[in-house]
Amino acid sequence: MTPSRPSRYWRSNLFLICGLLALWGGMALGCGVLWVEHLNRFRIGQLPLGFWMSQQGTVIGFVGLVFAYAIAMDRLDRQHAIRSQRQRQEQPDGPASDPVSRY
């Protein structure tokens, strides 16, 4: 049995979210705990790089992951032919029975 288009879309979405959360968790754990001794060999100003990465690196990484998620979701929406509310209003002649056009 093949999954329907909405379930494939949401499965892809959840896979993307779980992957990005794992990446963020690995980055936070790696830079803040696991690799801090190696990062402390380098300095930014008067403070070691491990300090900067544990304090600011994960926040900057999170912002980067938000942009990556937005780009990936835009690509995923195009792959699954998901139209926005604005696009549906501009093109009302689309197929009304398409289950994915609701999203």
Side-chain angles (χ1 to χ4, degrees):
M1 178 160 81
T2 61
S4 65
R5 283 179 61 182
S7 70
R8 283 190 312 238
Y9 173 78
W10 288 110
R11 185 178 301 137
S12 299
N13 187 7
L14 288 175
F15 182 75
L16 175 65
I17 290 171
C18 290
L20 290 175
L21 282 174
L23 185 63
W24 185 39
M27 183 174 40
L29 180 66
C31 292
V33 177
L34 299 176
W35 307 312
V36 71
E37 294 299 323
H38 177 70
L39 292 173
N40 282 341
R41 295 179 190 164
F42 307 100
R43 298 181 88 64
I44 295 179
Q46 298 295 321
L47 297 171
L49 182 60
F51 169 78
W52 285 105
M53 290 305 291
S54 64
Q55 297 298 313
Q56 302 297 324
T58 55
V59 174
I60 293 169
F62 177 73
V63 171
L65 288 176
V66 168
F67 282 112
Y69 176 74
I71 291 168
M73 282 305 298
D74 187 43
R75 206 173 281 151
L76 186 65
D77 288 347
R78 276 189 260 127
Q79 283 177 352
H80 290 274
I82 305 295
R83 296 185 301 160
S84 69
Q85 181 73 24
R86 183 174 164 190
Q87 288 170 333
R88 284 193 298 271
Q89 289 173 352
E90 291 173 358
Q91 300 173 354
D93 298 327
S97 63
D98 185 12
V100 180
S101 65
R102 295 180 296 169
Y103 299 107

mmCIF file of all heavy atoms in Angstrom, residues 11-42:
data_model
loop_
_atom_site.group_PDB
_atom_site.id
_atom_site.type_symbol
_atom_site.label_atom_id
_atom_site.label_comp_id
_atom_site.label_asym_id
_atom_site.label_seq_id
_atom_site.Cartn_x
_atom_site.Cartn_y
_atom_site.Cartn_z
ATOM 1 N N ARG A 11 5.593 13.000 6.561
ATOM 2 C CA ARG A 11 6.714 12.138 6.918
ATOM 3 C C ARG A 11 8.033 12.814 6.545
ATOM 4 O O ARG A 11 8.993 12.794 7.313
ATOM 5 C CB ARG A 11 6.591 10.786 6.220
ATOM 6 C CG ARG A 11 7.666 9.811 6.660
ATOM 7 C CD ARG A 11 7.530 8.453 6.025
ATOM 8 N NE ARG A 11 6.242 7.891 6.371
ATOM 9 C CZ ARG A 11 5.456 7.267 5.496
ATOM 10 N NH1 ARG A 11 5.823 7.161 4.243
ATOM 11 N NH2 ARG A 11 4.309 6.756 5.873
ATOM 12 N N SER A 12 8.088 13.428 5.373
ATOM 13 C CA SER A 12 9.291 14.159 4.952
ATOM 14 C C SER A 12 9.550 15.340 5.872
ATOM 15 O O SER A 12 10.700 15.614 6.226
ATOM 16 C CB SER A 12 9.131 14.653 3.518
ATOM 17 O OG SER A 12 8.954 13.591 2.633
ATOM 18 N N ASN A 13 8.492 16.035 6.270
ATOM 19 C CA ASN A 13 8.622 17.172 7.173
ATOM 20 C C ASN A 13 9.174 16.731 8.533
ATOM 21 O O ASN A 13 10.084 17.352 9.075
ATOM 22 C CB ASN A 13 7.268 17.857 7.333
ATOM 23 C CG ASN A 13 7.336 19.149 8.111
ATOM 24 O OD1 ASN A 13 8.404 19.631 8.442
ATOM 25 N ND2 ASN A 13 6.191 19.696 8.421
ATOM 26 N N LEU A 14 8.628 15.662 9.088
ATOM 27 C CA LEU A 14 9.109 15.166 10.383
ATOM 28 C C LEU A 14 10.543 14.663 10.290
ATOM 29 O O LEU A 14 11.330 14.850 11.224
ATOM 30 C CB LEU A 14 8.194 14.064 10.905
ATOM 31 C CG LEU A 14 6.833 14.525 11.391
ATOM 32 C CD1 LEU A 14 5.970 13.329 11.766
ATOM 33 C CD2 LEU A 14 6.973 15.471 12.570
ATOM 34 N N PHE A 15 10.902 14.020 9.189
ATOM 35 C CA PHE A 15 12.275 13.567 8.993
ATOM 36 C C PHE A 15 13.228 14.764 8.983
ATOM 37 O O PHE A 15 14.300 14.723 9.597
ATOM 38 C CB PHE A 15 12.380 12.777 7.688
ATOM 39 C CG PHE A 15 13.736 12.230 7.419
ATOM 40 C CD1 PHE A 15 14.202 11.128 8.108
ATOM 41 C CD2 PHE A 15 14.547 12.825 6.481
ATOM 42 C CE1 PHE A 15 15.465 10.620 7.869
ATOM 43 C CE2 PHE A 15 15.816 12.331 6.224
ATOM 44 C CZ PHE A 15 16.279 11.221 6.918
ATOM 45 N N LEU A 16 12.835 15.833 8.304
ATOM 46 C CA LEU A 16 13.651 17.052 8.255
ATOM 47 C C LEU A 16 13.788 17.673 9.641
ATOM 48 O O LEU A 16 14.894 18.035 10.069
ATOM 49 C CB LEU A 16 13.031 18.056 7.279
ATOM 50 C CG LEU A 16 13.688 19.422 7.192
ATOM 51 C CD1 LEU A 16 15.094 19.306 6.633
ATOM 52 C CD2 LEU A 16 12.845 20.346 6.328
ATOM 53 N N ILE A 17 12.680 17.783 10.368
ATOM 54 C CA ILE A 17 12.714 18.376 11.707
ATOM 55 C C ILE A 17 13.596 17.558 12.641
ATOM 56 O O ILE A 17 14.433 18.109 13.374
ATOM 57 C CB ILE A 17 11.282 18.508 12.275
ATOM 58 C CG1 ILE A 17 10.523 19.589 11.521
ATOM 59 C CG2 ILE A 17 11.313 18.833 13.765
ATOM 60 C CD1 ILE A 17 9.049 19.641 11.859
ATOM 61 N N CYS A 18 13.433 16.238 12.629
ATOM 62 C CA CYS A 18 14.239 15.384 13.511
ATOM 63 C C CYS A 18 15.726 15.481 13.162
ATOM 64 O O CYS A 18 16.581 15.525 14.055
ATOM 65 C CB CYS A 18 13.770 13.942 13.427
ATOM 66 S SG CYS A 18 12.157 13.669 14.174
ATOM 67 N N GLY A 19 16.038 15.531 11.878
ATOM 68 C CA GLY A 19 17.430 15.672 11.467
ATOM 69 C C GLY A 19 18.039 16.987 11.913
ATOM 70 O O GLY A 19 19.174 17.024 12.420
ATOM 71 N N LEU A 20 17.291 18.076 11.750
ATOM 72 C CA LEU A 20 17.816 19.385 12.167
ATOM 73 C C LEU A 20 17.930 19.487 13.682
ATOM 74 O O LEU A 20 18.891 20.085 14.194
ATOM 75 C CB LEU A 20 16.934 20.502 11.610
ATOM 76 C CG LEU A 20 17.013 20.707 10.098
ATOM 77 C CD1 LEU A 20 16.015 21.747 9.646
ATOM 78 C CD2 LEU A 20 18.416 21.087 9.666
ATOM 79 N N LEU A 21 16.983 18.905 14.414
ATOM 80 C CA LEU A 21 17.088 18.905 15.879
ATOM 81 C C LEU A 21 18.281 18.081 16.351
ATOM 82 O O LEU A 21 18.984 18.462 17.303
ATOM 83 C CB LEU A 21 15.802 18.379 16.516
ATOM 84 C CG LEU A 21 14.639 19.355 16.566
ATOM 85 C CD1 LEU A 21 13.385 18.652 17.091
ATOM 86 C CD2 LEU A 21 14.980 20.544 17.443
ATOM 87 N N ALA A 22 18.535 16.946 15.702
ATOM 88 C CA ALA A 22 19.703 16.139 16.053
ATOM 89 C C ALA A 22 20.993 16.897 15.759
ATOM 90 O O ALA A 22 21.939 16.863 16.552
ATOM 91 C CB ALA A 22 19.667 14.821 15.290
ATOM 92 N N LEU A 23 21.017 17.598 14.637
ATOM 93 C CA LEU A 23 22.188 18.401 14.291
ATOM 94 C C LEU A 23 22.413 19.511 15.312
ATOM 95 O O LEU A 23 23.538 19.749 15.757
ATOM 96 C CB LEU A 23 22.018 18.990 12.891
ATOM 97 C CG LEU A 23 23.196 19.752 12.311
ATOM 98 C CD1 LEU A 23 24.388 18.834 12.142
ATOM 99 C CD2 LEU A 23 22.801 20.341 10.965
ATOM 100 N N TRP A 24 21.335 20.185 15.716
ATOM 101 C CA TRP A 24 21.442 21.254 16.705
ATOM 102 C C TRP A 24 21.895 20.700 18.058
ATOM 103 O O TRP A 24 22.758 21.281 18.716
ATOM 104 C CB TRP A 24 20.106 21.975 16.840
ATOM 105 C CG TRP A 24 20.120 23.157 17.746
ATOM 106 C CD1 TRP A 24 21.106 24.097 17.878
ATOM 107 C CD2 TRP A 24 19.094 23.555 18.656
ATOM 108 N NE1 TRP A 24 20.745 25.052 18.791
ATOM 109 C CE2 TRP A 24 19.518 24.736 19.283
ATOM 110 C CE3 TRP A 24 17.857 23.033 18.983
ATOM 111 C CZ2 TRP A 24 18.736 25.379 20.238
ATOM 112 C CZ3 TRP A 24 17.092 23.685 19.914
ATOM 113 C CH2 TRP A 24 17.530 24.838 20.539
ATOM 114 N N GLY A 25 21.319 19.582 18.467
ATOM 115 C CA GLY A 25 21.732 18.964 19.726
ATOM 116 C C GLY A 25 23.184 18.524 19.692
ATOM 117 O O GLY A 25 23.931 18.704 20.660
ATOM 118 N N GLY A 26 23.597 17.950 18.571
ATOM 119 C CA GLY A 26 24.995 17.554 18.436
ATOM 120 C C GLY A 26 25.933 18.749 18.446
ATOM 121 O O GLY A 26 27.021 18.692 19.035
ATOM 122 N N MET A 27 25.515 19.820 17.826
ATOM 123 C CA MET A 27 26.327 21.031 17.817
ATOM 124 C C MET A 27 26.429 21.621 19.227
ATOM 125 O O MET A 27 27.514 22.008 19.669
ATOM 126 C CB MET A 27 25.719 22.059 16.861
ATOM 127 C CG MET A 27 26.510 23.328 16.723
ATOM 128 S SD MET A 27 25.867 24.460 15.469
ATOM 129 C CE MET A 27 24.125 24.364 15.672
ATOM 130 N N ALA A 28 25.320 21.661 19.945
ATOM 131 C CA ALA A 28 25.336 22.216 21.303
ATOM 132 C C ALA A 28 26.168 21.340 22.235
ATOM 133 O O ALA A 28 26.982 21.845 23.016
ATOM 134 C CB ALA A 28 23.907 22.343 21.823
ATOM 135 N N LEU A 29 25.975 20.032 22.157
ATOM 136 C CA LEU A 29 26.728 19.116 23.010
ATOM 137 C C LEU A 29 28.196 19.090 22.615
ATOM 138 O O LEU A 29 29.080 19.115 23.476
ATOM 139 C CB LEU A 29 26.134 17.712 22.923
ATOM 140 C CG LEU A 29 26.821 16.643 23.759
ATOM 141 C CD1 LEU A 29 26.638 16.953 25.244
ATOM 142 C CD2 LEU A 29 26.276 15.281 23.422
ATOM 143 N N GLY A 30 28.466 19.061 21.312
ATOM 144 C CA GLY A 30 29.849 18.997 20.840
ATOM 145 C C GLY A 30 30.642 20.243 21.171
ATOM 146 O O GLY A 30 31.733 20.161 21.741
ATOM 147 N N CYS A 31 30.107 21.402 20.833
ATOM 148 C CA CYS A 31 30.850 22.650 21.063
ATOM 149 C C CYS A 31 30.876 23.045 22.526
ATOM 150 O O CYS A 31 31.835 23.662 22.987
ATOM 151 C CB CYS A 31 30.243 23.776 20.237
ATOM 152 S SG CYS A 31 30.482 23.569 18.477
ATOM 153 N N GLY A 32 29.842 22.724 23.270
ATOM 154 C CA GLY A 32 29.781 23.140 24.666
ATOM 155 C C GLY A 32 30.435 22.183 25.636
ATOM 156 O O GLY A 32 30.849 22.588 26.722
ATOM 157 N N VAL A 33 30.551 20.896 25.260
ATOM 158 C CA VAL A 33 31.056 19.911 26.215
ATOM 159 C C VAL A 33 32.175 19.058 25.625
ATOM 160 O O VAL A 33 33.270 18.979 26.186
ATOM 161 C CB VAL A 33 29.901 18.993 26.692
ATOM 162 C CG1 VAL A 33 30.419 17.930 27.631
ATOM 163 C CG2 VAL A 33 28.811 19.804 27.356
ATOM 164 N N LEU A 34 31.922 18.401 24.509
ATOM 165 C CA LEU A 34 32.848 17.386 24.002
ATOM 166 C C LEU A 34 34.123 17.961 23.392
ATOM 167 O O LEU A 34 35.208 17.428 23.624
ATOM 168 C CB LEU A 34 32.128 16.505 22.976
ATOM 169 C CG LEU A 34 30.914 15.737 23.494
ATOM 170 C CD1 LEU A 34 30.248 14.976 22.361
ATOM 171 C CD2 LEU A 34 31.330 14.790 24.603
ATOM 172 N N TRP A 35 34.027 18.998 22.590
ATOM 173 C CA TRP A 35 35.189 19.529 21.883
ATOM 174 C C TRP A 35 35.725 20.815 22.497
ATOM 175 O O TRP A 35 36.547 21.503 21.896
ATOM 176 C CB TRP A 35 34.848 19.802 20.424
ATOM 177 C CG TRP A 35 34.257 18.623 19.723
ATOM 178 C CD1 TRP A 35 34.732 17.343 19.733
ATOM 179 C CD2 TRP A 35 33.093 18.617 18.917
ATOM 180 N NE1 TRP A 35 33.918 16.542 18.993
ATOM 181 C CE2 TRP A 35 32.904 17.296 18.466
ATOM 182 C CE3 TRP A 35 32.180 19.587 18.527
ATOM 183 C CZ2 TRP A 35 31.846 16.936 17.648
ATOM 184 C CZ3 TRP A 35 31.135 19.219 17.706
ATOM 185 C CH2 TRP A 35 30.967 17.916 17.278
ATOM 186 N N VAL A 36 35.286 21.142 23.709
ATOM 187 C CA VAL A 36 35.662 22.428 24.298
ATOM 188 C C VAL A 36 37.169 22.526 24.550
ATOM 189 O O VAL A 36 37.766 23.582 24.357
ATOM 190 C CB VAL A 36 34.844 22.713 25.581
ATOM 191 C CG1 VAL A 36 35.273 21.816 26.724
ATOM 192 C CG2 VAL A 36 34.915 24.175 25.965
ATOM 193 N N GLU A 37 37.810 21.430 24.933
ATOM 194 C CA GLU A 37 39.263 21.478 25.171
ATOM 195 C C GLU A 37 40.018 21.749 23.874
ATOM 196 O O GLU A 37 40.988 22.513 23.859
ATOM 197 C CB GLU A 37 39.735 20.171 25.809
ATOM 198 C CG GLU A 37 39.185 19.948 27.200
ATOM 199 C CD GLU A 37 39.608 21.047 28.184
ATOM 200 O OE1 GLU A 37 40.762 21.532 28.078
ATOM 201 O OE2 GLU A 37 38.786 21.414 29.031
ATOM 202 N N HIS A 38 39.597 21.128 22.800
ATOM 203 C CA HIS A 38 40.240 21.374 21.508
ATOM 204 C C HIS A 38 39.977 22.804 21.041
ATOM 205 O O HIS A 38 40.881 23.460 20.509
ATOM 206 C CB HIS A 38 39.743 20.371 20.466
ATOM 207 C CG HIS A 38 40.303 20.605 19.107
ATOM 208 N ND1 HIS A 38 41.621 20.378 18.805
ATOM 209 C CD2 HIS A 38 39.734 21.083 17.966
ATOM 210 C CE1 HIS A 38 41.843 20.685 17.536
ATOM 211 N NE2 HIS A 38 40.692 21.117 17.010
ATOM 212 N N LEU A 39 38.752 23.285 21.215
ATOM 213 C CA LEU A 39 38.418 24.651 20.783
ATOM 214 C C LEU A 39 39.131 25.698 21.621
ATOM 215 O O LEU A 39 39.394 26.800 21.140
ATOM 216 C CB LEU A 39 36.903 24.862 20.843
ATOM 217 C CG LEU A 39 36.077 24.066 19.840
ATOM 218 C CD1 LEU A 39 34.591 24.235 20.136
ATOM 219 C CD2 LEU A 39 36.388 24.485 18.422
ATOM 220 N N ASN A 40 39.441 25.373 22.871
ATOM 221 C CA ASN A 40 40.096 26.340 23.750
ATOM 222 C C ASN A 40 41.542 26.614 23.350
ATOM 223 O O ASN A 40 42.159 27.533 23.882
ATOM 224 C CB ASN A 40 40.037 25.878 25.201
ATOM 225 C CG ASN A 40 38.684 26.136 25.814
ATOM 226 O OD1 ASN A 40 37.910 26.947 25.319
ATOM 227 N ND2 ASN A 40 38.378 25.431 26.883
ATOM 228 N N ARG A 41 42.081 25.867 22.422
ATOM 229 C CA ARG A 41 43.437 26.152 21.925
ATOM 230 C C ARG A 41 43.471 27.463 21.135
ATOM 231 O O ARG A 41 44.521 28.070 20.983
ATOM 232 C CB ARG A 41 43.918 25.024 21.038
ATOM 233 C CG ARG A 41 44.097 23.721 21.764
ATOM 234 C CD ARG A 41 44.541 22.648 20.810
ATOM 235 N NE ARG A 41 44.496 21.359 21.455
ATOM 236 C CZ ARG A 41 44.525 20.217 20.816
ATOM 237 N NH1 ARG A 41 44.599 20.208 19.496
ATOM 238 N NH2 ARG A 41 44.479 19.082 21.467
ATOM 239 N N PHE A 42 42.322 27.848 20.619
ATOM 240 C CA PHE A 42 42.216 29.079 19.829
ATOM 241 C C PHE A 42 41.538 30.146 20.672
ATOM 242 O O PHE A 42 40.742 29.848 21.555
ATOM 243 C CB PHE A 42 41.411 28.815 18.549
ATOM 244 C CG PHE A 42 41.943 27.656 17.753
ATOM 245 C CD1 PHE A 42 41.333 26.418 17.827
ATOM 246 C CD2 PHE A 42 43.047 27.813 16.938
ATOM 247 C CE1 PHE A 42 41.811 25.343 17.105
ATOM 248 C CE2 PHE A 42 43.536 26.747 16.210
ATOM 249 C CZ PHE A 42 42.920 25.502 16.292
#
